[in-house]
Amino acid sequence: MAARHAREAVRAAAGAPRCHRCDEPHGRAPWALYCVRCAEEVDESRRAERRKQVQRGREEAALKPCRGPKCSEPVGLSSGPARTYCSEACRRATEHVRKRARTKPEPVPCRRCGKPVVLKFRDGVCRSCQKVQRTAARRVTLQRRVRKAHGDAGCFHCSVPLPEGGVIDHLIPISRGGLSTVANMRVVCVLCNASKKDQLMDEWSPLHMATR
Ligand SMILES: [Zn+2]
Ligand SMILES: [Zn+2]
Ligand SMILES: [Zn+2]
Ligand SMILES: [Zn+2]
């Protein structure tokens, strides 16, 4: 009770409530801050400030680079601050890229050569490595067949042991009319194969054997 009396006393001493802006008595409810005219002016300046902010935001957004693939044009003002692409073409291009990314599997490194490839099959090697592996496998199989037919005592010519496998030599070279048959093939060492070349057996003696 005492506090209220004190407040009313202060107000009476201060006289009629005054505008906080122009300091004239505003003649409005005691809790009002401004006279009618000042209240309108304050509102208007707030609206102007807000408009300026929106415009600034729009200009900043317009300077953003376009998100289109391989495009860095600013997106421009024409469609407001939320705009992401400089043109309809860029928007469509981006959609196209995304769609492709969804349907196209990620490239993974080939297990043999490490080259990133999109693998169609599950064995984890690229196409060219597959070819190399298949050739190697075929070579191993052929050598196994030739060994089975003619014995497994290392190089056919010089008898050096071939723990890692050798190469196939044609007794009658292909260039001399020999055939790629097991009967005409032997497993030999690389040295013998390189020195015999396309000679027949009675034209060639394994010279490197003497120096070994
Ligand atoms: Zn005022
Ligand atoms: Zn663009
Ligand atoms: Zn590979
Ligand atoms: Zn040999």
Side-chain angles (χ1 to χ4, degrees):
M1 267 322 222
R4 201 170 133 198
H5 281 306
R7 263 203 308 270
E8 272 167 11
V10 167
R11 207 171 287 153
R18 288 166 182 278
C19 171
H20 281 222
R21 198 160 166 267
C22 63
D23 209 30
E24 296 294 321
H26 59 44
R28 301 170 74 195
W31 54 83
L33 283 180
Y34 306 117
C35 67
V36 175
R37 196 172 48 110
C38 284
E40 257 165 30
E41 282 176 18
V42 166
D43 275 358
E44 180 47 42
S45 74
R46 277 182 191 153
R47 275 196 295 270
E49 184 53 39
R50 178 78 198 118
R51 272 199 298 274
K52 239 186 264 167
Q53 271 177 15
V54 168
Q55 183 58 26
R56 260 202 303 274
R58 226 172 249 168
E59 274 160 16
E60 269 164 30
L63 289 174
K64 271 194 321 188
C66 168
R67 293 247 297 267
K70 291 176 202 156
C71 180
S72 51
E73 291 286 304
V75 295
L77 265 180
S78 50
S79 283
R83 190 153 176 168
T84 330
Y85 305 105
C86 71
S87 62
E88 180 63 16
C90 273
R91 192 188 64 73
R92 253 191 257 129
T94 309
E95 252 171 33
H96 181 70
V97 166
R98 282 200 192 132
K99 214 190 244 168
R100 274 231 327 249
R102 271 200 298 274
T103 52
K104 205 174 158 192
E106 281 287 298
V108 292
C110 163
R111 272 206 325 219
R112 193 170 165 275
C113 68
K115 195 175 71 188
V117 281
V118 175
L119 293 169
K120 287 200 183 124
F121 307 105
R122 294 274 158 176
D123 52 356
V125 293
C126 73
R127 211 170 262 271
S128 61
C129 286
Q130 266 174 12
K131 221 175 267 177
V132 171
Q133 284 182 340
R134 236 176 271 148
T135 313
R138 243 186 307 222
R139 199 174 56 221
V140 167
T141 318
L142 179 62
Q143 290 195 13
R144 213 174 282 152
R145 277 174 53 209
V146 172
R147 278 217 180 89
K148 211 171 158 194
H150 305 297
D152 199 6
C155 172
F156 175 76
H157 300 311
C158 69
S159 302
V160 70
L162 300 168
E164 315 252 290
V167 291
I168 293 288
D169 183 43
H170 294 79
L171 294 183
I172 305 169
I174 303 279
S175 59
R176 307 283 288 267
L179 298 174
S180 276
T181 55
V182 171
N184 189 37
M185 288 192 276
R186 299 291 186 276
V187 178
V188 304
C189 71
V190 181
L191 284 174
C192 284
N193 187 245
S195 95
K196 182 169 171 282
K197 286 181 191 149
D198 54 357
Q199 300 170 82
L200 295 171
M201 281 304 282
D202 50 7
E203 295 168 350
W204 172 72
S205 60
L207 285 177
H208 69 278
M209 283 169 66
T211 58
R212 202 192 313 258

